Amino acid sequence: MTINTKINIMDTALKLFAEKGFSDTSISAIAEEAGIGKGTIYWYFESKKDLFFSIVEQRGQDYFNKVLKLDNDSIESEQIIYKYIKYTIEFIDNNYDVAKMLITNTEIINNEFKKMMELKQQQVISILEKALKRGQKEDKFRGFKSRDIAFMIMNIAKSGHNQFNFSIEGNIDQKTQKIYDFIMYGLIKEERKT
Amino acid sequence: MTINTKINIMDTALKLFAEKGFSDTSISAIAEEAGIGKGTIYWYFESKKDLFFSIVEQRGQDYFNKVLKLDNDSIESEQIIYKYIKYTIEFIDNNYDVAKMLITNTEIINNEFKKMMELKQQQVISILEKALKRGQKEDKFRGFKSRDIAFMIMNIAKSGHNQFNFSIEGNIDQKTQKIYDFIMYGLIKEERKT
Amino acid sequence: MTINTKINIMDTALKLFAEKGFSDTSISAIAEEAGIGKGTIYWYFESKKDLFFSIVEQRGQDYFNKVLKLDNDSIESEQIIYKYIKYTIEFIDNNYDVAKMLITNTEIINNEFKKMMELKQQQVISILEKALKRGQKEDKFRGFKSRDIAFMIMNIAKSGHNQFNFSIEGNIDQKTQKIYDFIMYGLIKEERKT
Amino acid sequence: MTINTKINIMDTALKLFAEKGFSDTSISAIAEEAGIGKGTIYWYFESKKDLFFSIVEQRGQDYFNKVLKLDNDSIESEQIIYKYIKYTIEFIDNNYDVAKMLITNTEIINNEFKKMMELKQQQVISILEKALKRGQKEDKFRGFKSRDIAFMIMNIAKSGHNQFNFSIEGNIDQKTQKIYDFIMYGLIKEERKT
DNA sequence: TATGAATGAGGGTTCATTCAT
DNA sequence: AATGAATGAACCCTCATTCAT
């Protein structure tokens, strides 16, 4: 019946982790929902945590690789920011469950995993920081601490995620455009100060 | 023995919840860390969840009340945004543990509590939205969907929070100023488009 | 307020023991229902079991003493049986709670107490047995093993007690008469065999 | 390990429930006595109460079904009474533990269960009542309130049960005969009144 | 590959009892 | 006499994990 039991397990687990959180999702529940035996999960994964990590890895790898490719001086700095936002929105849209799972379960996961996640985040921040610095050198962007801004951009990009039953409206491109526009020009209508 | 056992329990629990998450913090651990008997916790709190909620309520009430007072047309719209950011940064700075606890444990808490949190968030969004609309009418702000922007401001304000071992640099006022400036003017240096 | 705290405690405890059983009645619940502090109970009683025993002793003593007085050869044997039934019905009627408590909690009480209860029951059986033997000698009663009959009388006398929402109908005297009549003459209408 | 773990659990639990009562028998004690892990019990039973109910159901069903079959107008009314007594004695003899468990733990069990038990008892009373009324119509039995007598018969039939280290002497048939004889003819030797 | 019975550590919670006040 | 905060043993139950099949 199951062409690929492993995928079946991961999909089911992802759904339940996102719905109820890591701690409140039992191996039994995953097995039952997936229509397999409890023991089978342990044939494919070493532990519950291993299952969680595997899901994140599988789903997040694509996104992360795309972002890593933005670390390229031949891409215009605005484009890097635009694409970073787009990739992030896209990832959240296509992997709503993983995103939710990551956002809501970060802390309950072990330190090794947290360190890995931190490392990746630091890499992303560095890529954005580098692009921002370049943009400043090229006199495109205003003067500021680029690392701070990189951090703010990271946070604002998550606005594509539905929190508290609310999210920015629109499809991926519209959301991206809105966030990008806000980041670039801010709120103020009046003449730009320099 | 302790002058105030209840406060001792809440402080200890808060520390552990923030450190290890709700599910991975046992009542036994809290009792041991607080230097009291397990049963004593149940003298002051009905359940582990009740303890969690009590902490959030106690710590969050001040912040929320301050934000609610911003819902006042006699305050200039920019000031509302500025103060919202400041209060949020302040809250996070002074209640680092609660903030972390809230951010990382939202999903594992029961629905009643989640609904209450959502309600509060919606109120905050509405206050910002109202201020933004007023700012637009007064021709201060650019045209945009104010609810979307309110949502982005909420997300960006959280940048004061140390995630992944990184946060915006500076004291409360400096952080606030940086975020406010970014929100108002964005990245771009060039002449403002209208 | 409380003229006699001890009586207050015993009355309240009796009510709750009868309602919910010994194990499911907590000291806290008794204290709360009695409107006193938990510690106060321990001023009057050594333990929860001591409280239980005290109640039984206090309430059962009268009944038991009355029955003991039936051990008297100058009372006609039928009268002993009649009065035994009457006293038992009376006790159950006036001390419904104790009776229910005793019937439903016998086993959860310690062995010392059980032995004491057994002893008393054996005394009662012996009294009935003696009366029955005397009645046989006097050619009033049919031939049978008097100890067996004594035991059956003991059991049938409990029919005055409301079990499963049903009991024999009537007031104390009517109930007593019905049971006595049944014991004496049985069901059969036809000519008596000898 | 054991050929049938479930039966092992039920037998062990029955033994302990009868010995010490429901509340004073812990799941740990059952597991230890049965030589299995605590968790295993929860593989077969949903809860401690479920375990209790299952035992009662399993053991009591046979008895109850037999009694229900006595609700049959083609059986002579005396025979119904005789057989009811016999089945009851038999059940108590073969299921001493269950009987004791039921008699001593009725009150500590939940209301749903109590209602079910009451219902069954009412059915039994009704069967006896019906037989008694028929016997009266056929002019076999004396005039009385048949429901009261049915209730007394139920109580006296329990005399086969060893209470307070005493019971009627003899094997099943002898006990049955003694009780039946007592019920039919009562104590009195003299000429029968009508 | 796949199962599910079995395990036992650990969870949250209750409650009889103590004792300083 | 009376209190109630504090205790900790013991409770029922869950669940990640193992392993014989």
Side-chain angles (χ1 to χ4, degrees):
Chain A
M1 191 56 46
T2 327
I3 291 166
N4 196 324
T5 303
K6 190 171 184 179
I7 288 176
N8 181 21
I9 292 169
M10 290 174 89
D11 287 350
T12 307
L14 170 54
K15 184 183 143 209
L16 295 179
F17 284 153
E19 255 172 37
K20 314 195 291 172
F22 180 81
S23 290
D24 285 354
T25 300
S26 69
I27 289 287
S28 299
I30 296 169
E32 196 174 343
E33 181 83 12
I36 58 166
K38 238 188 309 187
T40 309
I41 293 175
Y42 285 87
W43 202 91
Y44 291 100
F45 303 94
E46 285 187 358
S47 69
K48 193 183 169 188
K49 283 184 178 173
D50 178 41
L51 170 57
F52 182 91
F53 299 157
S54 300
I55 295 168
V56 176
E57 209 119 320
Q58 183 210 42
R59 304 286 178 123
Q61 207 53 51
D62 255 17
Y63 164 69
F64 189 62
N65 286 340
K66 269 183 175 174
V67 173
L68 283 185
K69 280 185 189 141
L70 294 177
D71 191 13
N72 184 337
D73 286 349
S74 67
I75 308 175
E76 285 203 44
S77 47
E78 298 101 319
Q79 273 301 299
I80 291 176
I81 291 165
Y82 184 87
K83 286 198 165 151
Y84 167 72
I85 297 166
K86 181 167 181 176
Y87 293 161
T88 303
I89 301 277
E90 231 168 38
F91 172 69
I92 289 171
D93 248 54
N94 295 334
N95 299 277
Y96 176 75
D97 286 345
V98 183
K100 192 172 174 190
M101 190 175 84
L102 272 174
I103 287 169
T104 57
N105 290 293
T106 311
E107 290 305 314
I108 61 174
I109 303 305
N110 71 25
N111 281 324
E112 193 190 346
F113 180 76
K114 262 168 66 182
K115 290 237 169 75
M116 186 197 64
M117 292 292 295
E118 267 173 31
L119 205 69
K120 289 192 173 180
Q121 292 288 345
Q122 292 291 353
Q123 283 181 265
V124 173
I125 287 179
S126 293
I127 291 168
L128 291 176
E129 193 186 353
K130 210 167 132 190
L132 288 165
K133 274 188 176 148
R134 185 148 53 82
Q136 286 176 319
K137 256 191 212 139
E138 294 167 358
D139 213 29
K140 287 175 176 168
F141 300 152
R142 297 195 289 130
F144 41 62
K145 190 156 187 346
S146 55
R147 198 164 180 80
D148 287 346
I149 300 294
F151 191 60
M152 286 192 250
I153 290 175
M154 259 191 59
N155 274 295
I156 208 170
K158 288 180 194 160
S159 302
H161 177 57
N162 178 353
Q163 290 165 296
F164 307 112
N165 289 328
F166 185 69
S167 153
I168 293 178
E169 287 178 1
N171 61 28
I172 292 175
D173 283 323
Q174 287 166 335
K175 282 180 179 175
T176 305
Q177 190 57 50
K178 279 180 182 179
I179 293 173
Y180 178 76
D181 178 69
F182 184 62
I183 286 173
M184 287 297 148
Y185 300 101
L187 271 176
I188 296 292
K189 193 178 183 179
E190 65 181 56
E191 284 300 296
R192 172 154 296 281
K193 67 176 178 183
T194 49
Chain B
M1 209 51 51
T2 320
I3 290 171
N4 197 322
T5 305
K6 190 171 184 179
I7 288 176
N8 180 21
I9 292 169
M10 290 174 93
D11 288 350
T12 308
L14 172 53
K15 183 183 145 208
L16 295 179
F17 283 154
E19 254 172 36
K20 311 197 292 173
F22 180 82
S23 289
D24 283 357
T25 300
S26 70
I27 288 287
S28 300
I30 296 170
E32 198 173 341
E33 180 82 11
I36 57 165
K38 239 192 307 186
T40 308
I41 293 174
Y42 287 88
W43 180 261
Y44 293 99
F45 303 94
E46 286 187 357
S47 67
K48 192 184 172 188
K49 283 185 178 172
D50 178 40
L51 170 56
F52 182 91
F53 298 157
S54 299
I55 294 168
V56 175
E57 207 117 320
Q58 184 209 42
R59 304 286 179 121
Q61 206 55 50
D62 257 14
Y63 163 69
F64 188 62
N65 287 339
K66 269 183 175 174
V67 173
L68 283 187
K69 280 186 189 141
L70 294 177
D71 192 11
N72 183 339
D73 285 350
S74 65
I75 308 173
E76 285 202 43
S77 46
E78 298 101 318
Q79 273 301 299
I80 292 176
I81 292 165
Y82 184 87
K83 286 198 166 151
Y84 167 72
I85 298 166
K86 180 165 181 176
Y87 294 159
T88 303
I89 302 278
E90 233 167 37
F91 173 69
I92 289 171
D93 247 56
N94 296 334
N95 301 277
Y96 176 75
D97 286 344
V98 182
K100 193 170 175 191
M101 191 175 84
L102 272 174
I103 287 170
T104 58
N105 289 294
T106 310
E107 290 304 314
I108 61 174
I109 302 304
N110 72 25
N111 280 326
E112 194 190 346
F113 181 74
K114 262 169 66 183
K115 291 233 168 79
M116 188 197 63
M117 292 292 295
E118 269 174 31
L119 205 69
K120 289 191 173 182
Q121 293 287 347
Q122 293 289 356
Q123 283 182 265
V124 173
I125 288 179
S126 294
I127 290 168
L128 292 175
E129 194 185 353
K130 210 168 133 190
L132 289 165
K133 275 189 176 147
R134 185 148 53 84
Q136 287 176 317
K137 258 192 213 141
E138 294 166 359
D139 214 30
K140 287 173 176 170
F141 300 152
R142 298 197 287 130
F144 40 63
K145 192 160 184 343
S146 54
R147 198 164 180 82
D148 287 345
I149 300 293
F151 192 59
M152 285 193 248
I153 290 174
M154 260 190 60
N155 274 295
I156 207 168
K158 288 181 193 161
S159 302
H161 176 56
N162 178 351
Q163 289 165 297
F164 307 113
N165 288 328
F166 185 70
S167 154
I168 294 178
E169 286 177 3
N171 61 28
I172 292 174
D173 282 325
Q174 289 166 336
K175 282 180 178 175
T176 305
Q177 191 57 50
K178 281 180 179 178
I179 293 174
Y180 178 75
D181 178 68
F182 184 61
I183 286 173
M184 286 297 147
Y185 300 101
L187 271 175
I188 295 294
K189 192 178 184 179
E190 66 180 55
E191 282 301 296
R192 173 154 295 280
K193 65 176 177 181
T194 51
Chain C
M1 192 55 46
T2 328
I3 291 166
N4 196 322
T5 304
K6 190 170 183 179
I7 288 175
N8 181 22
I9 293 169
M10 290 173 89
D11 287 350
T12 308
L14 171 53
K15 184 185 145 208
L16 294 179
F17 284 153
E19 255 172 36
K20 313 197 291 173
F22 180 81
S23 290
D24 284 355
T25 300
S26 69
I27 290 288
S28 299
I30 296 169
E32 196 175 344
E33 181 83 10
I36 57 166
K38 238 190 307 187
T40 308
I41 293 174
Y42 285 86
W43 201 91
Y44 292 99
F45 302 94
E46 284 186 358
S47 68
K48 192 183 169 188
K49 284 184 178 172
D50 178 40
L51 169 57
F52 182 91
F53 299 156
S54 299
I55 294 167
V56 176
E57 208 117 321
Q58 183 211 42
R59 303 286 178 123
Q61 207 53 50
D62 254 17
Y63 164 70
F64 189 61
N65 287 340
K66 269 184 176 173
V67 174
L68 283 187
K69 280 186 189 143
L70 293 177
D71 191 13
N72 184 336
D73 285 350
S74 67
I75 308 174
E76 285 202 45
S77 47
E78 298 102 318
Q79 272 302 300
I80 291 175
I81 292 165
Y82 184 87
K83 286 197 166 151
Y84 166 74
I85 297 166
K86 180 167 182 174
Y87 294 160
T88 303
I89 302 277
E90 232 167 37
F91 172 69
I92 290 171
D93 249 54
N94 296 334
N95 300 277
Y96 177 75
D97 287 345
V98 183
K100 192 171 175 191
M101 190 176 84
L102 272 175
I103 287 170
T104 58
N105 291 292
T106 311
E107 291 305 313
I108 61 174
I109 303 305
N110 71 25
N111 280 325
E112 193 189 346
F113 180 76
K114 262 168 67 183
K115 291 237 168 76
M116 186 196 66
M117 291 293 294
E118 268 173 33
L119 205 69
K120 288 191 173 181
Q121 292 289 346
Q122 292 291 353
Q123 284 182 265
V124 173
I125 287 179
S126 294
I127 290 169
L128 292 174
E129 193 185 354
K130 210 169 132 190
L132 289 164
K133 274 187 177 149
R134 186 150 51 84
Q136 287 175 318
K137 255 188 215 143
E138 293 166 359
D139 214 30
K140 287 175 176 167
F141 300 152
R142 298 195 289 130
F144 41 62
K145 192 159 185 344
S146 54
R147 198 165 180 80
D148 287 347
I149 300 293
F151 191 60
M152 286 192 250
I153 291 175
M154 259 190 60
N155 275 296
I156 208 169
K158 288 180 194 161
S159 303
H161 176 58
N162 179 353
Q163 290 165 295
F164 307 113
N165 289 328
F166 186 70
S167 153
I168 293 178
E169 287 178 2
N171 61 27
I172 292 175
D173 283 323
Q174 289 167 334
K175 282 180 179 175
T176 305
Q177 191 57 50
K178 281 180 180 177
I179 293 174
Y180 178 77
D181 178 69
F182 184 61
I183 286 173
M184 287 299 148
Y185 300 100
L187 272 175
I188 295 293
K189 193 177 184 181
E190 65 181 58
E191 284 299 297
R192 175 153 293 281
K193 67 177 176 183
T194 49
Chain D
M1 207 54 47
T2 321
I3 291 169
N4 197 321
T5 305
K6 190 171 183 178
I7 288 176
N8 180 22
I9 292 170
M10 289 174 93
D11 287 350
T12 308
L14 172 53
K15 184 184 144 207
L16 295 179
F17 284 154
E19 253 173 39
K20 311 198 291 172
F22 180 82
S23 290
D24 283 358
T25 300
S26 69
I27 289 288
S28 300
I30 296 169
E32 197 173 341
E33 181 82 11
I36 57 166
K38 239 191 309 186
T40 308
I41 293 174
Y42 288 89
W43 179 260
Y44 292 99
F45 303 95
E46 286 188 357
S47 67
K48 193 185 170 187
K49 283 184 178 173
D50 178 41
L51 170 55
F52 182 90
F53 297 157
S54 298
I55 295 169
V56 175
E57 207 116 320
Q58 184 209 42
R59 304 287 179 120
Q61 206 54 49
D62 258 15
Y63 164 69
F64 189 62
N65 286 340
K66 269 184 176 172
V67 173
L68 282 187
K69 279 184 189 144
L70 294 177
D71 191 13
N72 183 337
D73 285 349
S74 67
I75 307 174
E76 285 203 44
S77 46
E78 299 100 320
Q79 272 300 300
I80 292 175
I81 292 164
Y82 184 87
K83 286 197 168 151
Y84 166 73
I85 298 165
K86 181 168 180 174
Y87 294 160
T88 304
I89 302 278
E90 233 167 36
F91 172 69
I92 289 171
D93 247 56
N94 296 334
N95 301 277
Y96 176 75
D97 286 344
V98 182
K100 192 170 175 191
M101 191 175 83
L102 272 175
I103 287 169
T104 57
N105 290 294
T106 310
E107 290 305 314
I108 60 174
I109 302 304
N110 71 26
N111 280 326
E112 192 189 347
F113 181 75
K114 262 170 65 183
K115 290 234 169 78
M116 187 195 65
M117 292 292 295
E118 268 174 31
L119 205 69
K120 289 191 172 180
Q121 292 289 346
Q122 293 289 355
Q123 282 182 265
V124 173
I125 287 180
S126 293
I127 290 169
L128 291 175
E129 193 185 353
K130 208 168 135 190
L132 288 165
K133 274 188 178 150
R134 184 150 51 85
Q136 288 176 317
K137 255 189 214 145
E138 294 166 359
D139 215 30
K140 288 173 176 171
F141 300 151
R142 297 197 288 131
F144 41 62
K145 191 159 187 340
S146 54
R147 198 163 181 81
D148 287 346
I149 300 292
F151 192 60
M152 286 192 249
I153 290 175
M154 260 191 60
N155 275 295
I156 207 169
K158 289 180 193 161
S159 302
H161 177 57
N162 178 352
Q163 291 164 296
F164 308 113
N165 289 327
F166 186 71
S167 154
I168 294 178
E169 286 178 2
N171 61 28
I172 292 174
D173 283 324
Q174 289 167 335
K175 281 180 179 176
T176 305
Q177 191 56 52
K178 281 181 180 177
I179 293 174
Y180 178 76
D181 179 68
F182 184 62
I183 286 173
M184 286 298 147
Y185 299 101
L187 271 176
I188 294 294
K189 193 177 182 180
E190 66 181 59
E191 283 299 298
R192 173 154 296 279
K193 66 176 177 181
T194 50

